[in-house]
Amino acid sequence: MQKVYQTFLGLLSFFLPITCLILFILITILLRINGDLGWLFYITREWLAGKELYTQLIEVNPPMIIYLMAPAVWLANMTDFSAAGATKIYFSLFVLIPTIAHINLSRLVLPEKTRNVYIYAVIFITFVVPFYDFGQRDHLAIILLIPYLFVRYLKVSSQIRINSFKLFLYGVFAGIALCLKPYFIIIPFFSECFLLYQFRKEYRLVTIEPVTAVLFFCGFITSIFIFHPQYFSQIVPLALATYWTYGKPISSFGLPYYALMVMLIFIVARYLTSKKHRELVMYFNIILLASFLSFLIQSHYSYQLLPFKTILFLNFTLTTCLYVHDKAEIKKSMILISALACYLLVFSTGHIFYDQRGVIQKSMTNIELPKLSDIGYKGLDHTAEMINNNFTGKNIYIFSTNVWPSAFITSYTRAIWSSSFGALWPIPAIAMARNDRGSLSEENVKKIDAVTNYVVNIINHDLTINDPAIIVIDVTEPPSYFYDGFEFETFISQNKKMSDIFKQYQLTDIKFSIHKDKKYKVYTKKSNPVHASSDKK
């Protein structure tokens, strides 16, 4: 029987990393570029080409993600990789660095017989669980922050000596994470409070890694004041006044399921026999709480829940491993269950891999991502072909509050994006302040009124200077993040200069399909009309 268990262990050790790798390759190949990453790639490319960030390129986020995206742009410029290909390859390699650090640190705190399972979970949670949101700022930030959190616990609880350069590196990781997501400062704050409370005598704050993180973060904030003063003078007031309309109801995130997992962690942790193990699980619970609070104070998107989910799944795996380690009588049955779970995972993954073998083989042979039609986006391919046939090298302006159109135009077509915004995210709040003032507080109305002319002037400037050959309007009822009854065409008619510009265009019968469940109208210049009959060469 012992040989059977050893065989299962061997299968587990071999197949789990391979399965995670296959799943990640499938996700990388079979998903289109993330809308936010597509837009960030574009503005990074334009910024490197000489355009001014936060003046000619309006972005709500601090510039750290632009700096991190720069190598992906250089990679695309030096090779034949598309924006989607360069971005996916670059961030896969980037995330690998803190993940290796996380795995190495986990070896210092976990019992030997539980390490492999935890390491496999780290790989799966880091590379597979994010799915479409892989490489988002929230994903990058928590992956960068985890080595810092681990090393802080190790140093304070166990007085383990770690190489000074590594400590400095973990501090830099944490500093980058905070620069990507300043909200995340709540996570190391909660972790330090726990360590101070739990290990008063051993606790030291002024050490290499926290000092490095703080100095890096402060230096970054200072650099924004020096090199990008418009971020604080214009973008931050604009975001505070208008960005609150974005997000989803908190009820749409399946939180009861995650609450059940948290309950199981607390229940199992009570039965851990080792005090050190209980302290480690409690430390992760504190980090979990901080991650959830950082999600609550934001605008509630699925990717903003990724840090909470990452810590939750890691802690769930950690708690389970420690419990099995403490309970010798269930070790063998857990090995059997793990091996069966591995078999099912490999089987399901193999099925997907087999179904998509042609697409994957073609991508591997040509060293490029497949066409959109090959991965199930035929409508996108048709629209991209129409744009390339009629508007290559010409300016396109899209009235939409979704970022995907900008990512699509800049990543999959040869047309030129002519808006300073990736999405017109200030418009929902401005429209509410104009047409539904009673639903807003007086303070909100004042903030919105203060930035309205700034936004309208940018739109008018883009339409005037860039003189787009085509204007596309989202006519979904209502467009995303708007109240019922809103229409972009009405908004345009309420602004004289914008309306005068729009009179130069005429409605066409061109089909424009780039977004699920979204409807668009296409307007072209009256002096140079294009119709559906000329969609193809």
Side-chain angles (χ1 to χ4, degrees), residues 337-358:
I337 293 170
S338 299
L340 290 174
C342 175
Y343 172 79
L344 291 173
L345 188 60
V346 172
F347 181 79
S348 61
T349 305
H351 176 68
I352 299 171
F353 195 84
Y354 181 79
D355 287 345
Q356 301 292 337
R357 63 191 182 281

Side-chain angles (χ1 to χ4, degrees), residues 467-485:
D467 190 27
I470 177 175
I471 294 178
V472 181
I473 296 181
D474 183 349
V475 292
T476 311
E477 298 180 2
S480 299
Y481 316 113
F482 284 101
Y483 54 85
D484 289 342

Side-chain angles (χ1 to χ4, degrees), residues 18-136:
I18 298 299
T19 302
C20 290
L21 176 62
I22 291 173
L23 278 173
F24 183 64
I25 290 173
L26 286 172
I27 291 169
T28 301
I29 291 176
L30 300 178
L31 284 181
R32 57 181 170 83
I33 192 172
N34 180 283
D36 289 327
L37 294 182
W39 165 247
L40 290 169
F41 181 93
Y42 167 74
I43 63 171
T44 303
R45 186 181 67 197
E46 295 299 300
W47 173 62
L48 290 173
K51 284 191 176 180
E52 190 171 352
L53 193 58
Y54 304 120
T55 301
Q56 296 171 292
L57 303 165
I58 307 299
E59 168 58 32
V60 71
N61 295 308
M64 178 54 71
I65 188 60
I66 310 297
Y67 303 157
L68 290 185
M69 184 65 79
V73 175
W74 292 329
L75 177 63
N77 291 339
M78 291 186 296
T79 64
D80 292 330
F81 290 139
S82 63
T87 302
K88 291 182 178 185
I89 291 171
Y90 165 66
F91 279 118
S92 299
L93 297 174
F94 181 86
V95 167
L96 187 62
I97 298 171
T99 302
I100 291 173
H102 178 187
I103 289 172
N104 287 335
L105 288 168
S106 70
R107 295 177 184 274
L108 300 177
V109 72
L110 292 173
E112 184 177 354
K113 293 183 179 180
T114 65
R115 290 174 189 167
N116 283 347
V117 175
Y118 183 79
I119 289 170
Y120 302 148
V122 168
I123 296 170
F124 185 81
I125 293 165
T126 301
F127 289 94
V128 178
V129 168
F131 201 61
Y132 180 67
D133 292 325
F134 184 90
Q136 283 274 23

Side-chain angles (χ1 to χ4, degrees), residues 270-300:
R270 289 189 60 188
Y271 294 95
L272 294 176
T273 55
S274 168
K275 181 183 177 183
K276 283 190 175 181
H277 292 171
R278 290 197 301 272
E279 287 174 346
L280 179 59
V281 172
M282 184 55 65
Y283 178 65
F284 268 87
N285 283 336
I286 294 297
I287 295 171
L288 185 65
L289 173 61
S291 301
F292 186 65
L293 291 176
S294 72
F295 165 72
L296 289 179
I297 61 179
Q298 297 184 76
S299 53
H300 304 159

Side-chain angles (χ1 to χ4, degrees), residues 53-334:
L53 193 58
Y54 304 120
T55 301
Q56 296 171 292
L57 303 165
I58 307 299
E59 168 58 32
V60 71
N61 295 308
M64 178 54 71
I65 188 60
I66 310 297
Y67 303 157
L68 290 185
M69 184 65 79
V73 175
W74 292 329
L75 177 63
N77 291 339
M78 291 186 296
T79 64
D80 292 330
F81 290 139
S82 63
T87 302
K88 291 182 178 185
I89 291 171
Y90 165 66
F91 279 118
S92 299
L93 297 174
F94 181 86
V95 167
L96 187 62
I97 298 171
T99 302
I100 291 173
H102 178 187
I103 289 172
N104 287 335
L105 288 168
S106 70
R107 295 177 184 274
L108 300 177
V109 72
L110 292 173
E112 184 177 354
K113 293 183 179 180
T114 65
R115 290 174 189 167
N116 283 347
V117 175
Y118 183 79
I119 289 170
Y120 302 148
V122 168
I123 296 170
F124 185 81
I125 293 165
T126 301
F127 289 94
V128 178
V129 168
F131 201 61
Y132 180 67
D133 292 325
F134 184 90
Q136 283 274 23
R137 289 184 310 129
D138 302 73
H139 174 235
L140 298 177
I142 195 63
I143 298 304
L144 286 165
L145 197 55
I146 287 174
Y148 171 88
L149 298 171
F150 242 116
V151 81
R152 287 298 294 156
Y153 177 82
L154 283 168
K155 284 189 64 181
V156 175
S157 67
S158 305
Q159 302 296 301
I160 293 177
R161 299 184 67 84
I162 297 175
N163 180 279
S164 296
F165 175 75
K166 289 183 178 179
L167 294 177
F168 171 77
L169 191 63
Y170 302 147
V172 171
F173 286 170
I176 296 173
L178 296 180
C179 296
L180 285 169
K181 294 289 294 188
Y183 288 115
F184 276 24
I185 199 165
I186 192 175
I187 298 176
F189 175 77
F190 270 51
S191 72
E192 295 295 335
C193 288
F194 173 83
L195 294 173
L196 175 60
Y197 174 80
Q198 197 71 24
F199 307 100
R200 292 181 183 84
K201 293 182 180 179
E202 299 87 355
Y203 181 80
R204 298 290 184 276
L205 178 61
V206 184
T207 57
I208 294 175
E209 62 282 6
V211 169
T212 301
V214 170
L215 290 177
F216 191 98
F217 181 68
C218 292
F220 172 72
I221 297 298
T222 303
S223 73
I224 298 177
F225 278 106
I226 296 172
F227 300 108
H228 305 290
Q230 301 89 349
Y231 182 74
F232 289 111
S233 63
Q234 296 176 342
I235 303 301
V236 171
L238 178 61
L240 291 174
T242 63
Y243 204 73
W244 52 267
T245 60
Y246 271 55
K248 296 180 179 179
I250 199 168
S251 59
S252 64
F253 293 96
L255 295 183
Y257 164 74
Y258 301 123
L260 178 62
M261 290 187 69
V262 173
M263 286 178 57
L264 288 173
I265 290 172
F266 273 95
I267 292 170
V268 173
R270 289 189 60 188
Y271 294 95
L272 294 176
T273 55
S274 168
K275 181 183 177 183
K276 283 190 175 181
H277 292 171
R278 290 197 301 272
E279 287 174 346
L280 179 59
V281 172
M282 184 55 65
Y283 178 65
F284 268 87
N285 283 336
I286 294 297
I287 295 171
L288 185 65
L289 173 61
S291 301
F292 186 65
L293 291 176
S294 72
F295 165 72
L296 289 179
I297 61 179
Q298 297 184 76
S299 53
H300 304 159
Y301 279 110
S302 59
Y303 59 80
Q304 291 173 344
L305 193 62
L306 259 180
F308 170 77
K309 287 163 61 177
T310 299
I311 299 298
L312 175 61
F313 295 156
L314 287 175
N315 199 16
F316 187 83
T317 305
L318 175 69
T319 307
T320 303
C321 289
L322 295 177
Y323 181 76
V324 172
H325 178 268
D326 287 354
K327 304 295 179 181
E329 66 273 13
I330 66 171
K331 283 184 181 179
K332 292 183 178 181
S333 61
M334 284 301 295

